[in-house]
Amino acid sequence: MDHLWIPVTLAAALAQTGRNAAQRGLTERLGTLGATNVRFLFGLPFACAFLALALWLTGATLPQLTPRALTFTALGAAAQIAATALMLQAMRTQGFGIVTAWLKIEPVLVALTGWAVLGEALTLPMLVAIAVAIAGVLVMTLKPGQGRAMLSGLAPAALGLAAGLCFGLSAIGFRGAITALPEGSFLVRALTILALTLALQTLALGLYLALRDRPALTGSAKAFLPSLAAGFLGALASAGWFTGFALTTAANVRTLALVEVIFALALARLALGQKATPRQLAGMAVMLAGVGLLLNHPID
């Protein structure tokens, strides 16, 4: 049980890679917010089904939702939406690789926020592992010369860091909500918070689109099957992330989640015939070294 979070997190990263691929085509058809809404709207029924199945198999009942759990859930849901908006705004002024590099600093922010908000321990070996893993991701995502571009311009840097911080806050919010539930197995608590989170996000973004962008809201009905696939994979990935948060600290989960970059490169190789460059292979090696250090020195 102590190491169950590792395969769970890897499975979540793999499912998220698939969801990103499925959602890519939807973005072109529905727009960015429309495709984002699919993630919540079509993911919610699957999340509820996962929860119902877990309750049926275990014979458990729904955990009692405490004010602390509700507060953390609302924080995580709102932070995730804000992070997405900040990320998209940053990508308007900077290249995809540069924004991705800023976002991948998230594990450091998660570790610091978890220490400040939840009182989770920080250890030097764990911080070194995070730094090494992030260095590997930077090598993979930044092309030669982009390092200077990443550091130039305060506004894009601030947007990228703010997006990373909000993604970190969402992870801490979800972890805090799960641990705030007074009863239930780790799986039932994780899936309960997942279903509640997607319900809040579906309601919030749905109301916004109904008022500001009705075609983006209704367009998913015209792309039902792709939307259904993206919703299922998104719910499956989120179920993995939330289960990971129930088993260990958010910093552990979000650092190991960096392997998603490798999965994305592998998918590009298999689906598009794109080969990894020597720089990307070197970055993979550095990142995997950091992940190896993490697995040897995780925060309990």
Side-chain angles (χ1 to χ4, degrees):
M1 185 68 71
D2 290 343
H3 297 93
L4 182 59
W5 67 274
I6 297 173
V8 166
T9 300
L10 291 175
L14 185 61
Q16 181 148 311
T17 302
R19 188 214 66 195
N20 290 341
Q23 204 168 17
R24 181 178 180 181
L26 289 173
T27 302
E28 299 173 358
R29 300 174 64 175
L30 306 178
T32 301
L33 285 180
T36 301
N37 184 57
V38 164
R39 171 185 179 183
F40 304 139
L41 178 63
F42 284 79
L44 179 58
F46 289 109
C48 292
F50 296 159
L51 175 58
L53 181 61
L55 293 174
W56 178 68
L57 290 175
T58 62
T61 58
L62 276 175
Q64 181 181 357
L65 292 175
T66 63
R68 179 179 173 85
L70 290 171
T71 300
F72 270 114
T73 302
L75 167 66
Q80 193 173 56
I81 293 176
T84 302
L86 288 167
M87 177 186 68
L88 296 174
Q89 182 61 32
M91 286 181 176
R92 288 185 175 182
T93 58
Q94 291 291 316
F96 178 80
I98 295 176
V99 176
T100 299
W102 280 118
L103 292 176
K104 293 309 178 184
I105 300 175
E106 175 199 349
V108 172
L109 302 175
V110 170
L112 294 174
T113 307
W115 168 74
V117 177
L118 300 179
E120 295 178 340
L122 288 177
T123 65
L124 182 58
M126 197 274 181
L127 291 176
V128 171
I130 292 176
V132 172
I134 290 175
V137 173
L138 295 181
V139 171
M140 278 188 282
T141 55
L142 288 179
K143 297 179 181 179
Q146 283 189 320
R148 290 188 297 273
M150 179 181 174
L151 298 175
S152 65
L154 293 178
L159 284 173
L161 281 176
L165 178 60
C166 285
F167 277 123
L169 284 175
S170 70
I172 294 301
F174 300 145
R175 162 80 173 164
I178 292 167
T179 58
L181 293 178
E183 58 195 6
S185 67
F186 70 88
L187 183 61
V188 168
R189 286 184 288 116
L191 294 179
T192 298
I193 297 302
L194 171 60
L196 178 59
T197 297
L198 288 178
L200 292 175
Q201 291 172 325
T202 298
L203 178 62
L205 191 55
L207 286 175
Y208 177 83
L209 291 178
L211 295 173
R212 301 293 298 272
D213 194 350
R214 190 71 61 85
L217 181 64
T218 59
S220 58
K222 300 176 183 178
F224 181 78
L225 289 180
S227 297
L228 195 65
F232 170 73
L233 290 171
L236 188 62
S238 295
W241 299 133
F242 280 59
T243 303
F245 295 147
L247 292 167
T248 188
T249 65
N252 285 341
V253 173
R254 296 311 298 160
T255 302
L256 183 55
L258 293 175
V259 300
E260 181 188 341
V261 178
I262 296 179
F263 292 157
L265 290 174
L267 181 63
R269 175 74 173 98
L270 294 174
L272 304 176
Q274 298 176 350
K275 295 183 179 180
T277 65
R279 172 180 52 82
Q280 290 172 329
L281 293 174
M284 285 184 201
V286 175
M287 193 206 71
L288 290 175
V291 169
L293 288 173
L294 170 74
L295 298 182
N296 285 322
H297 301 282
I299 296 178
D300 295 326

